[in-house]
Amino acid sequence: MRHPRKGKGVTISTPVRQRSGLALYFAVTFTTTWACWLIAIALGGSAMSSPTAIPYLLGAFGPTIGAIVVRIHRAIRRQPAPARTVRLRPSPRLFWILPMLALTSATVLAGALLAPVLGGPAVGLAGGQALIATVGGPVPFIISMLVAGPLAEEPGWRGTAYPRMRASMGRIQAALLLGVIWAAWHVPLFFIPGTVQAGLGLISWGGLAFMVSVIPMALLTGYAYERAGVAASIAVHFAGNATLALLTVDSPITQAFIAAVQVIVAIPLLVLRRDRRADRPVHADPQPRQAVTGSSPQTSRTQG
């Protein structure tokens, strides 16, 4: 195995080094989330009632907490950001956010409208309208849908884990594997009263459909991340959750149709997506670049 080689003012990053922090990320994320949610289970009561709501909500931010820990660890060790990292900065890439948001909502709607063909229930907006009224109106609904899931998770799953996994595998393989891990992360929610997952039940067709449905969403959010970074993956996550909530999707048949539509849409997008050239990071020490023999160098960067 090759190790990173250093020249004067230059650090060469191998795939092993680019993956650095992946194990730490998953350890912190799962430990933080599952510890909080196990406390919520032990406390009993509804997920949104005191005192259960506190560990329940804190646990949802496990992926972002994991991302923060990895970034601090990387900064202390002066390690480069993974080559596949998409920086969050003003860029024409951000124009992809609205199309990705619309596309994701369209896949959910298409699956929900196709489901009645095979005996699934018809969907409507009555349940969604009641939900909006319950939370206090459209603005609180949008904020809750944005925070609970997209903002709490995407800086971790896509912003931290995905680019490190891409250092050693293709985009479809990385998205699928991360989708399986992401689905497993949700398991404790099936035992917290008041959650959508608890309403479905872990050992049920609805629970199975939910777990499987996470994987197509991982494909779409992975593609969105490669297009426009964390902001786009947040938009996709938000669009999926909000549309499901507005249509009150809880039938396994409907969930299966939605998952099928999303797979059909996401796989070609990922396959046809051209590899972008990884940024050549500049070392913090502003010394002239020197030639390094034996391999093509990738200099380290301190951002991303």
Side-chain angles (χ1 to χ4, degrees):
M1 179 182 299
R2 293 194 309 171
H3 296 278
R5 298 195 300 171
K6 296 183 180 179
K8 188 176 181 181
V10 177
T11 299
I12 299 174
S13 302
T14 64
V16 171
R17 188 164 184 180
Q18 291 171 5
R19 290 198 305 271
S20 178
L22 189 58
L24 175 63
Y25 169 74
F26 286 131
V28 173
T29 296
F30 274 81
T31 299
T32 302
T33 295
W34 283 16
C36 289
W37 286 350
L38 287 175
I39 291 173
I41 293 170
L43 289 173
S46 173
M48 298 311 297
S49 65
S50 181
T52 307
I54 296 175
Y56 165 69
L57 294 175
L58 284 176
F61 283 86
T64 293
I65 293 172
I68 293 171
V69 170
V70 168
R71 280 160 175 71
I72 292 174
H73 179 265
R74 178 167 61 79
I76 292 173
R77 296 173 64 91
R78 296 182 180 276
Q79 294 177 332
R84 301 286 178 172
T85 296
V86 180
R87 298 187 185 187
L88 182 61
R89 62 186 180 186
S91 166
R93 291 173 179 269
L94 296 181
F95 287 109
W96 279 95
I97 291 176
L98 289 179
M100 290 304 306
L101 190 152
L103 176 65
T104 304
S105 291
T107 61
V108 175
L109 181 60
L113 293 177
L114 286 172
V117 175
L118 289 183
V123 296
L125 294 176
Q129 291 172 343
L131 176 61
I132 291 175
T134 300
V135 299
V139 174
F141 171 78
I142 292 173
I143 293 175
S144 64
M145 287 290 107
L146 188 60
V147 174
L151 288 176
E153 300 177 30
E154 289 307 317
W157 296 128
R158 254 55 63 174
T160 302
Y162 183 79
R164 286 166 173 78
M165 296 172 74
R166 284 282 282 119
S168 60
M169 60 185 73
R171 59 176 62 90
I172 294 179
Q173 184 181 1
L176 287 173
L177 179 57
L178 187 55
V180 172
I181 296 171
W182 189 18
W185 176 80
H186 287 86
V187 168
L189 291 177
F190 286 92
F191 304 97
I192 302 177
T195 64
V196 172
Q197 294 79 9
L200 296 172
L202 180 59
I203 310 301
S204 69
W205 287 113
L208 176 62
F210 170 82
M211 297 292 278
V212 171
S213 71
V214 174
I215 297 175
M217 279 299 297
L219 293 172
L220 284 174
T221 49
Y223 175 78
Y225 176 79
E226 294 215 2
R227 275 296 185 186
V230 172
S233 67
I234 287 173
V236 167
H237 196 155
F238 166 78
N241 286 2
T243 309
L244 287 169
L246 288 173
L247 296 177
T248 319
V249 174
D250 53 12
S251 164
I253 295 177
T254 306
Q255 289 176 309
F257 267 91
I258 293 172
V261 171
Q262 290 180 335
V263 168
I264 292 171
V265 170
I267 292 294
L269 290 175
L270 288 165
V271 169
L272 297 175
R273 170 77 173 129
R274 294 177 60 187
D275 281 322
R276 66 182 180 85
R277 178 180 296 180
D279 293 336
R280 299 179 69 85
V282 180
H283 193 267
D285 182 7
Q287 299 183 25
R289 182 182 299 175
Q290 297 187 0
V292 180
T293 60
S295 63
S296 176
Q298 280 188 315
T299 55
S300 70
R301 64 182 167 197
T302 58
Q303 301 179 16

